[in-house]
Amino acid sequence: MKRALPIICLLYLITTFSACKKGQIKNLNSIGYGTSFGECIGYCSNNLTISDLKVVFSKSKHGQAPDTKTCTKSISEDEVNAIKDLLNADKISALPEVIGCPDCADGGAEYVAINADGKQYKIIFEYGKAPKELEAAVAKLKTLKESFKDCN
């Protein structure tokens, strides 16, 4: 029994610390995603914000009268967790705030913004060229954004 106690304690410690993924987001406040095109007619800027099991989508035009349209949907905790699990705070914090040349030559820009664990991150990148650290999350966020195509 004396030999078993240290082994049990060691196994407990190993399983406790290995259960946490390094860089895993714990307290997520919000996730943002959006696209914009500088030389564009119509709704050129699209923004999606996930917070409090709610998704808010807005789209706006450039110019003096932005004519912003906003729509809202509920989102399940499982759906939020699925996106959160694709985000790694350590990898995201290592990314520069701007990657490439977003919206140069009217190529468009995308961004992902995260407010979690007392920190804020916003990474802006060329449209369609998400960094590998964000590719899976961006794919899910794009699908969610597309679900608002009838937002008028």
Side-chain angles (χ1 to χ4, degrees), residues 118-133:
K119 297 180 182 173
Q120 293 183 3
Y121 310 97
K122 184 172 182 179
I123 298 93
I124 304 168
F125 48 93
E126 296 174 33
Y127 182 81
K129 296 182 180 178
K132 65 180 177 356
E133 296 86 350

Side-chain angles (χ1 to χ4, degrees), residues 46-120:
N46 295 279
N47 296 289
L48 186 79
T49 304
I50 303 169
S51 178
D52 298 325
L53 301 181
K54 188 169 50 172
V55 182
V56 178
F57 172 78
S58 64
K59 61 183 181 179
S60 59
K61 297 178 179 180
H62 293 307
Q64 298 289 5
D67 188 27
T68 301
K69 306 282 186 195
T70 303
C71 297
T72 304
K73 291 182 181 181
S74 296
I75 187 169
S76 73
E77 191 169 347
D78 288 342
E79 290 173 297
V80 173
N81 286 334
I83 297 168
K84 182 176 89 168
D85 290 344
L86 297 173
L87 301 168
N88 180 296
D90 290 343
K91 290 180 181 178
I92 292 168
S93 67
L95 291 171
E97 290 181 21
V98 178
I99 299 171
C101 189
D103 208 18
C104 291
D106 196 33
E110 287 182 84
Y111 76 87
V112 173
I114 301 154
N115 184 334
D117 300 327
K119 297 180 182 173
Q120 293 183 3

Side-chain angles (χ1 to χ4, degrees), residues 134-148:
L134 295 174
E135 281 177 344
V138 166
K140 273 212 181 287
L141 292 165
K142 276 184 180 181
T143 300
L144 190 56
K145 183 186 91 148
E146 291 303 316
S147 72
F148 286 94

Side-chain angles (χ1 to χ4, degrees), residues 10-25:
L10 181 62
L11 288 173
Y12 173 76
L13 288 173
I14 289 171
T15 56
T16 299
F17 289 110
S18 66
C20 297
K21 291 181 183 175
K22 186 166 173 50
Q24 185 176 29
I25 293 173

